[in-house]
Amino acid sequence: MSASASERLIEATRDLLWERGYVGTSPKAIQQAAGAGQGSMYHHFTGKPDLALAAIRRTAEELRAAAEAALGGPGPAYARIEAYLMRERDVLRGCPVGRLTMDPDVIASAELRAPVDETLDWLRGRLAGIVQEGLDSGEFSGPPRAEEVASTIVATLQGGYVLARAAGSPAAFDTAVRGLLALLSARTDR
């Protein structure tokens, strides 16, 4: 029962953070969504910040694992980047990690912000490594630096989420991704 209550609390917090942000996620809402009482919450976690940190870490780990599943696959650099960009996403909900960057309480807390920063840094680094592979093999033509291309990929994804949410349609995200892939394709020697 103990692990089950802890897991339910973390999962409920993850969902609420994604939907409402940190400020909009009250301990009472977490307890209701998890079907757990106040005593159970404070038995497992010292408070909302501790529980939120566990939820943010879990979300960051899952995002990295999903990204790595596409980026670490076989094939040339372009194909792996394409697989990552085209993977299934809940576009209208936005990026569960990227959305946290818009939450002033998360950004103000070095502890809560750390898994967000680490994940975005990891993603840019992982993408830069793949772009560099493509540059080194001659698949991509220069001169852009791999780090600049990687940042452009991440910025396009995050911006695509914003545009899709604003329009209430995933079409804006899809258009941004297709445009980025067209730019990357123009730099390949395929």
Side-chain angles (χ1 to χ4, degrees), residues 50-126:
D50 185 40
L51 178 52
L53 181 59
I56 292 168
R57 282 184 179 147
R58 171 92 46 91
T59 297
E61 289 167 7
E62 284 187 8
L63 187 139
R64 285 191 302 270
E68 185 57 36
L71 295 171
Y78 178 87
R80 291 164 38 213
I81 293 169
E82 180 182 39
Y84 169 68
L85 291 172
M86 300 300 288
R87 75 177 177 81
E88 187 75 23
R89 291 177 166 82
D90 193 349
V91 173
L92 294 180
R93 285 185 79 190
C95 174
V97 172
R99 285 191 65 184
L100 293 170
T101 66
M102 302 303 293
D103 194 311
D105 286 355
V106 171
I107 296 304
S109 166
E111 189 174 31
L112 293 176
R113 189 179 67 246
V116 174
D117 291 342
E118 290 163 7
T119 299
L120 294 174
D121 288 346
W122 173 86
L123 182 57
R124 282 191 302 270
R126 185 68 174 102

Side-chain angles (χ1 to χ4, degrees), residues 13 15-16 19 22-23 45 49 54-55 69 74 78 83 90 92 94 97 109 129 132 135 138-139 141 150 166 187 190:
T13 303
D15 287 341
L16 290 167
E19 288 299 320
Y22 185 81
V23 172
F45 303 96
Y78 178 87
D90 193 349
L92 294 180
V97 172
S109 166
Q132 190 62 54
L135 288 167
E139 179 185 354
S141 58
R187 303 202 62 80
R190 296 190 292 161

